[in-house]
Amino acid sequence: MPAQQEFTGAEIVVKCLQEEGIEHVFGYPGGAVLYIYDALFNQDKVKHILVRHEQAAVHAADAYSRSSEKIGVALVTSGPGLTNAVTGIATAYMDSIPMVVLSGQVPTHAIGLDAFQECDTVGITRPIVKHNFLVKDVKDLAATIKKAFYIAKTGRPGPVLVDIPKDVTAKKTIFAYPADVDMRSYKPVVKGHTGQIKKAVQMILGAKRPMIYTGGGVILANASKELTQFVDKLGYPCTNTLMGLGAYKATDKKFVGMPGMHGTYEANHAMQNCDVLVAIGARFDDRVIGNPADFARHQRQIIHIDVDPSSISKRVKVDVPIVGDVKDVLIEMLKLIDADAAKPDAKALADWWKQIEEWRSKDCLQYDRKSDKIKPQFVVEKLWEITKGDAFVTSDVGQHQMWAAQFYKFDAPRRWINSGGLGTMGFGLPAAMGVQMVHPDATVACITGEASIQMCIQELSTCKQYRLPVKVLNLNNGYLGMVRQWQQIEYGSRYSESYVDALPDFVKLAEAYGHVGMQITKPSDVEGAIREAIKLKDRCVFMDFLTDPKENVWPMVQAGKGLTSMLLSSEEL
């Protein structure tokens, strides 16, 4: 009987990726991972994308996952390679994004001896991953990577890190990839409790002023179809959080806009004044409900559906908790609603909608459309019109992020890619690269600001190397816009270090990287510039829109205030 073939740990890493169907890995080489890079070189199934900074590798892998149902993978070296990746890992963790990060480590005999480019990867990343592993024996490598992918994508998703010492990648063993995973300590609940679901349905059907509040969990569970059926069947108002935009169609009248700090007047008032609140895949974030004590002043019954039991009653006490996969629970609820003889109170619902329409008539998203300065809201609206709402939109963090969320009407899930929980400047451009890699023929637009874009602007080089035709819309107001807005409102207009002086010529900078650069200074040129950029199907285009430097994001709920204590314009300051 012939001896079974042995493979190096590096070859096993690549074989594991092949077994998982991974097509792209985003990374940056270094000494501790060179055996893995050598193994990647000797095959053609897994394509490596060379970024210019490890933070960008993780952001790109993150967005690759967010915009598809695939698992993003990042590969970084030890020490500074790993610490550079930490921001990206924390970003993915805060937003519950399934991905796997492979990091190199110094040889096992050198661990703990302050070796060159050593850091405590497991210790550093423990608070910002769903789980992490340090593999010290090559025989454990395949099984560990299998567990990593399983943990990343099941239950409440999240990033999982596998730290691999260099000597483990050099040693040999027989390769056997497990068919499945059975972990005694990890058994995520999928099916919701039948009794709780029945109780929730009775409460929902009996509501006089219902409200459906959904978050990113709906998108992660691929439950947009079920949510749409649920909302349409009941005829109830629906709001999507920043992370949940696109889970329910923004162009439908039942959608009342985004809730929270920069949410709509009607969404916030409906959240506060409903009698039954159905929270689906959302976590009552501080930016969504404002002051929890103020939120609790209004009596309402709360149903909370979430796959993660630790999220339920964490910030807001709920009446009917349902732990389970959002998709599965919604399917069960739809069956019960169909079978139930009781129907929603038509008159009460009509009165509730009348009240919501009164709130909606405030037109809280209005802005000066006759200004001779480019209004950032106008740029986003034009992008939506020209792309017919069919683009993938990434953003950085700040005012431009909120304007994108408010004025680009997302009608489908996984089209809006942004850093919600951590609020990471520098996310937008590498995220757009990840989206473009997994959707090569799609229009991918990165809405950013002149400060955020410079955090990872070196990735224009990656866009050039891999011919990624990302369209960058830089809403350039010459300020750290959201910082300036807070300083105006909360700090007596003392603009401490929020003015961005000595900005580069973004057109020349884009051209220096081999891309098309445009500067737009007049509102009348906005539409033409966007249309021209989108026509350039095979080119990365950087559009530098010089926008009104004093424009603020409205509405706004100030920190510590209640959900309905909203500022609607500068005139209320």
Side-chain angles (χ1 to χ4, degrees):
M1 182 176 179
Q4 287 184 280
Q5 185 178 358
E6 292 189 335
F7 297 92
T8 66
E11 291 169 332
I12 287 170
V13 168
V14 175
K15 283 184 172 293
C16 291
L17 296 177
Q18 292 172 348
E19 289 284 341
E20 290 290 339
I22 301 302
E23 298 172 6
H24 297 96
V25 172
F26 300 87
Y28 201 93
V33 287
L34 286 183
Y35 283 118
I36 298 175
Y37 273 86
D38 197 45
L40 284 168
F41 182 84
N42 290 321
Q43 55 85 57
D44 57 10
K45 289 183 179 178
V46 180
K47 184 178 181 181
H48 181 272
I49 309 301
L50 177 66
V51 296
R52 286 0 183 218
H53 192 286
E54 289 89 353
Q55 178 181 341
V58 185
H59 287 332
D62 172 334
Y64 189 94
S65 180
R66 290 184 200 236
S67 65
S68 68
E69 295 180 32
K70 300 181 179 182
I71 303 296
V73 178
L75 173 60
V76 300
T77 195
S78 64
L82 180 280
T83 56
N84 280 348
V86 162
T87 299
I89 297 169
T91 299
Y93 178 71
M94 287 289 282
D95 291 344
S96 303
I97 306 304
M99 60 180 299
V100 172
V101 179
L102 304 173
S103 61
Q105 183 55 274
V106 300
T108 51
H109 62 80
I111 292 175
L113 300 179
D114 295 330
F116 177 67
Q117 292 193 329
E118 180 190 2
C119 71
D120 179 5
T121 297
V122 168
I124 289 170
T125 62
R126 183 175 287 118
I128 56 167
V129 293
K130 187 175 178 183
H131 196 66
N132 59 19
F133 298 92
L134 171 61
V135 183
K136 291 187 175 182
D137 189 331
V138 69
K139 293 177 182 177
D140 298 329
L141 191 53
T144 301
I145 293 176
K146 178 72 175 183
K147 288 178 183 177
F149 277 96
Y150 175 72
I151 293 169
K153 63 190 176 184
T154 53
R156 179 178 182 172
V160 177
L161 181 138
V162 183
D163 198 33
I164 312 172
K166 186 170 184 177
D167 59 320
V168 172
T169 64
K171 291 177 180 176
K172 289 188 173 184
T173 192
I174 295 165
F175 173 67
Y177 201 59
D180 49 37
V181 173
D182 183 21
M183 300 173 66
R184 187 173 59 182
S185 59
Y186 179 66
K187 302 286 185 183
V189 175
V190 176
K191 295 292 182 183
H193 188 279
T194 303
Q196 291 292 86
I197 294 174
K198 287 180 178 178
K199 186 177 179 181
V201 168
Q202 290 173 358
M203 193 177 287
I204 290 165
L205 292 175
K208 305 292 186 185
R209 301 186 309 279
M211 183 66 175
I212 298 170
Y213 152 55
T214 76
V218 175
I219 292 173
L220 291 167
N222 297 311
S224 180
K225 176 184 173 185
E226 288 73 20
L227 173 66
T228 300
Q229 291 173 351
F230 183 72
V231 174
D232 291 350
K233 188 180 292 290
L234 294 166
Y236 291 175
C238 179
T239 182
N240 299 152
T241 67
L242 181 71
M243 294 307 302
L245 292 175
Y248 186 77
K249 291 201 301 185
T251 56
D252 193 289
K253 287 289 285 184
K254 290 185 288 297
F255 180 68
V256 294
M258 182 176 69
M261 179 174 281
H262 295 295
T264 65
Y265 190 82
E266 54 268 30
N268 282 1
H269 277 269
M271 285 275 286
Q272 193 70 300
N273 291 284
C274 64
D275 67 341
V276 174
L277 180 62
V278 188
I280 308 173
R283 58 188 179 92
F284 293 92
D285 181 76
D286 59 295
R287 290 293 176 102
V288 171
I289 66 163
N291 186 322
D294 183 85
F295 188 73
R297 283 193 303 109
H298 294 252
Q299 289 297 313
R300 62 175 79 74
Q301 293 176 306
I302 300 177
I303 299 159
H304 192 179
I305 306 166
D306 204 291
V307 75
D308 180 7
S310 72
S311 289
I312 295 178
S313 290
K314 187 174 185 177
R315 300 192 73 247
V316 172
K317 188 177 185 301
V318 305
D319 299 282
V320 183
I322 301 173
V323 178
D325 181 84
V326 166
K327 189 184 187 82
D328 288 341
V329 172
L330 282 174
I331 288 170
E332 288 302 310
M333 281 187 160
L334 286 165
K335 289 177 183 176
L336 289 172
I337 290 169
D338 284 339
D340 202 311
K343 300 300 174 190
D345 185 329
K347 184 181 183 307
L349 186 58
D351 290 342
W352 178 229
W353 270 114
K354 184 179 178 181
Q355 174 63 77
I356 291 172
E357 290 304 325
E358 284 183 24
W359 290 324
R360 183 142 42 190
S361 68
K362 280 273 188 182
D363 192 16
C364 64
L365 297 181
Q366 61 182 303
Y367 65 92
D368 183 4
R369 298 174 184 274
K370 297 180 180 179
S371 174
D372 59 355
K373 296 176 181 176
I374 296 176
K375 293 293 184 178
Q377 303 96 317
F378 179 70
V379 177
V380 178
E381 281 188 327
K382 282 299 172 186
L383 177 67
W384 176 72
E385 289 175 14
I386 291 166
T387 60
K388 298 181 174 59
D390 196 38
F392 288 85
V393 178
T394 73
S395 84
D396 277 292
V397 170
Q399 287 180 314
H400 60 270
Q401 177 190 26
M402 294 300 105
W403 286 317
Q406 290 174 332
F407 290 93
Y408 197 100
K409 298 179 179 67
F410 294 96
D411 277 350
R414 298 188 182 272
R415 294 301 183 105
W416 168 233
I417 313 297
N418 81 119
S419 170
L422 196 65
T424 306
M425 294 173 70
F427 176 84
L429 181 57
M433 298 185 327
V435 174
Q436 195 77 78
M437 286 303 306
V438 75
H439 302 283
D441 299 324
T443 297
V444 180
C446 169
I447 296 178
T448 185
E450 77 292 330
S452 282
I453 190 64
Q454 293 190 84
M455 292 278 186
C456 282
I457 201 164
Q458 74 283 340
E459 296 311 315
L460 287 174
S461 180
T462 308
C463 291
K464 175 66 174 178
Q465 180 173 347
Y466 296 97
R467 297 180 176 85
L468 301 175
V470 170
K471 314 307 178 192
V472 179
L473 291 84
N474 185 34
L475 305 184
N476 184 348
N477 60 12
Y479 280 95
L480 303 179
M482 192 60 85
V483 172
R484 184 204 57 76
Q485 178 169 335
W486 278 65
Q487 287 173 335
Q488 178 186 350
I489 296 169
E490 302 275 359
Y491 300 90
S493 295
R494 292 181 296 277
Y495 301 124
S496 175
E497 303 301 325
S498 56
Y499 177 71
V500 182
D501 203 358
L503 286 172
D505 182 327
F506 286 108
V507 172
K508 288 182 179 178
L509 187 57
E511 291 173 347
Y513 277 106
H515 304 307
V516 176
M518 304 177 183
Q519 186 179 80
I520 302 93
T521 60
K522 297 186 296 185
S524 57
D525 293 335
V526 169
E527 181 173 346
I530 296 173
R531 288 191 182 279
E532 183 182 347
I534 290 175
K535 282 181 183 176
L536 298 171
K537 298 290 186 184
D538 60 345
R539 297 294 301 276
C540 176
V541 182
F542 193 112
M543 291 165 274
D544 186 26
F545 295 94
L546 302 189
T547 63
D548 186 345
K550 295 183 179 179
E551 190 69 15
N552 285 336
V553 179
W554 305 114
M556 179 179 177
V557 178
Q558 293 172 266
K561 296 291 181 68
L563 193 58
T564 55
S565 300
M566 305 176 73
L567 297 175
L568 299 183
S569 71
S570 297
E571 295 174 2
E572 297 185 12
L573 296 177

